[in-house]
Amino acid sequence: MSKTTRATQVLTRAGIPHTVHAYDYDPEATRIGLQAAEALGVAPGEVFKTLMAMVDGKPVCVLAPSDREVSLKKLAAAFGGKSAAMMRPAEAERLTGYHVGGISPLGQKRTVPTLVDAAALALPEIFLNGGQRGLQVRVKPDDLVRVLQARTEAVT
């Protein structure tokens, strides 16, 4: 497994300190973030899942703790919309250029508005998908928000 992906390249080019962590990806896992947390030996709330959604028909990216559910009502409001729905997996793959289970908010084919759940700001570092299945990057939340030009708000 390569530890260099479009996601890690974005962090490196931006001068963002990060570490890369490979783990045994389980394709049968129903909740990838929870499986990653268990495999890495960290609390589920430290591993953030990358979700692709549609707010009023426009694509957005949201990062949320792997042990929490995103409120679609809060997500829509955070982007000034009326309704939100999760994007179909095939559409998320086409838009991001990543496979489900390896979608990172970094280095996506098309840049979309991104939100990092406010829970991240309470942690010194968080894990997020590094751009391929079985690869996580660990980064400071403030650095991530800055490189993604993301908004932060509680949506869980």
Side-chain angles (χ1 to χ4, degrees):
M1 169 188 307
S2 173
K3 290 190 177 185
T4 301
T5 65
R6 290 191 320 269
T8 61
Q9 289 171 343
V10 167
L11 293 171
T12 300
R13 280 194 303 269
I16 304 293
H18 64 282
T19 55
V20 179
H21 304 265
Y23 68 97
D24 289 328
Y25 173 79
D26 178 3
E28 302 301 317
T30 55
R31 297 182 70 186
I32 297 163
L34 294 178
Q35 190 260 325
E38 183 178 332
L40 294 169
V42 299
E46 293 178 43
V47 176
F48 278 60
K49 56 189 170 186
T50 304
L51 303 172
M52 301 303 294
M54 301 293 282
V55 172
D56 292 347
K58 296 178 182 160
V60 299
C61 179
V62 60
L63 279 82
S66 65
D67 60 347
R68 296 190 193 165
E69 295 297 320
V70 171
S71 162
L72 294 178
K73 185 175 180 178
K74 288 180 182 179
L75 181 62
F79 283 103
K82 293 181 180 180
S83 67
M86 298 312 299
M87 194 177 288
R88 290 187 314 272
E91 180 67 9
E93 289 181 342
R94 185 190 63 75
L95 183 74
T96 64
Y98 292 120
H99 293 291
V100 169
I103 294 178
S104 177
L106 300 157
Q108 293 185 358
K109 280 178 30 180
R110 180 173 163 208
T111 302
V112 299
T114 301
L115 183 142
V116 177
D117 188 83
L121 302 178
L123 299 169
E125 292 182 311
I126 62 171
F127 289 85
L128 64 139
N129 199 290
Q132 68 184 24
R133 295 171 179 160
L135 193 71
Q136 294 278 313
V137 292
R138 188 174 187 187
V139 65
K140 291 180 182 174
D142 290 339
D143 289 341
L144 180 66
V145 168
R146 186 173 71 250
V147 76
L148 289 172
Q149 298 179 354
R151 62 184 71 202
T152 56
E153 197 163 324
V155 292
T156 56

